[in-house]
Amino acid sequence: MQDQDARLDLSRRQRLGMVEAVWGEHKTVQQIVGVLQRFRSVDELGLVTRVQPEKAEAVRLQLPEVVVHPYARCLTLGPLPASPAGPASVAVLSGGSSDRTVVEETALALRCHGVGVQLVMDVGVAGLHRLLEQLPKLESARVLIACAGMEGALPTVLAGLAAQPVIGVPISVGYGVSLGGRAALEGMLSSCAPGLLTVNIDNGYGAAMAALRILRC
């Protein structure tokens, strides 16, 4: 059964150099199955984001070839490109381990486009030495993506220390006014670090596509 309501952008790869990602959180199992079948019918890689575990399993039961990426909360259908040899082009950093879901979504979206990714976890500014220790390892990356909740300071600090483009991803993690990611978003938008780019709250896919466009300039 195909979802006849979905108007998929099947020419996005030819037009923009990226595959279309489908938001899965508010779609039914049958809608997701139909969308993935459409992708498969034109020999295009299928990527569905924000899929709850029980929904992901229900989709996999109908399409056994679907790959479930539990940490990223994503599904893919079709082979991912091989990772390129050599240093990773993009480093994805997290302020804490609670940011992992968005980090994994970001990394998977890049891997769907054949981009090498290095993950650098738990280097938030509450222990600044952890980030400083990693700076030499980041020098080979062409783009840095920093995911942070709470006050969202990690991208600002990173953009003040590293020469590469930095993309900030505010994460919906934190107490009180931080909860929901709004404090992190406003902090990143108010950053005094020149040239810091910021995407919407928890938008790992958007950060990945911004990095992809930078890499292809």
Side-chain angles (χ1 to χ4, degrees):
M1 177 180 176
Q2 294 185 349
D3 178 17
Q4 299 300 326
D5 295 328
R7 297 182 183 274
L8 300 181
D9 187 0
L10 298 176
S11 64
R12 185 177 295 184
R13 185 189 293 274
Q14 291 72 32
R15 191 175 70 254
L16 301 178
M18 59 184 71
V19 300
E20 181 179 9
V22 175
W23 177 266
E25 185 170 342
H26 300 104
K27 288 183 173 61
T28 66
V29 170
Q30 285 305 124
Q31 285 175 320
I32 293 173
V33 169
V35 164
L36 288 173
Q37 288 175 330
R38 291 273 303 283
F39 279 122
R40 183 172 58 182
S41 71
V42 295
D43 197 28
E44 181 59 277
L45 174 65
L47 170 62
V48 184
T49 65
R50 299 299 174 88
V51 184
Q52 300 93 328
E54 61 277 5
K55 189 184 293 185
E57 181 61 19
V59 171
R60 193 189 63 80
L61 288 173
Q62 294 194 43
L63 288 176
E65 58 270 48
V66 161
V67 177
V68 178
H69 304 267
Y71 284 120
R73 295 185 297 179
C74 293
L75 306 175
T76 56
L77 179 61
L80 270 61
S83 296
S89 297
V90 179
V92 183
L93 300 88
S94 79
S97 56
S98 297
D99 308 328
R100 180 164 190 148
T101 295
V102 177
V103 168
E104 293 285 351
E105 177 185 296
T106 306
L108 177 62
L110 287 165
R111 288 169 180 147
C112 284
H113 293 83
V115 176
V117 184
Q118 174 189 6
L119 301 186
V120 182
M121 301 292 296
D122 203 18
V123 289
V125 299
L128 189 56
H129 61 284
R130 298 177 299 179
L131 175 62
L132 298 178
E133 290 169 354
Q134 299 300 317
L135 290 179
K137 299 178 183 179
L138 302 177
E139 292 178 357
S140 60
R142 293 176 56 195
V143 181
L144 307 176
I145 299 176
C147 305
M150 300 291 189
E151 83 290 357
L154 176 61
T156 289
V157 173
L158 189 61
L161 294 172
Q164 304 98 314
V166 177
I167 302 169
V169 186
I171 305 296
S172 56
V173 170
Y175 297 104
V177 296
S178 296
L179 188 62
R182 190 61 185 260
L185 172 63
E186 293 181 353
M188 293 178 198
L189 291 175
S190 304
S191 174
C192 62
L196 173 63
L197 307 177
T198 303
V199 299
N200 209 342
I201 298 168
D202 291 342
N203 191 6
Y205 173 78
M209 295 305 98
L212 186 66
R213 286 178 180 263
I214 292 170
L215 292 174
R216 290 179 173 171
C217 287

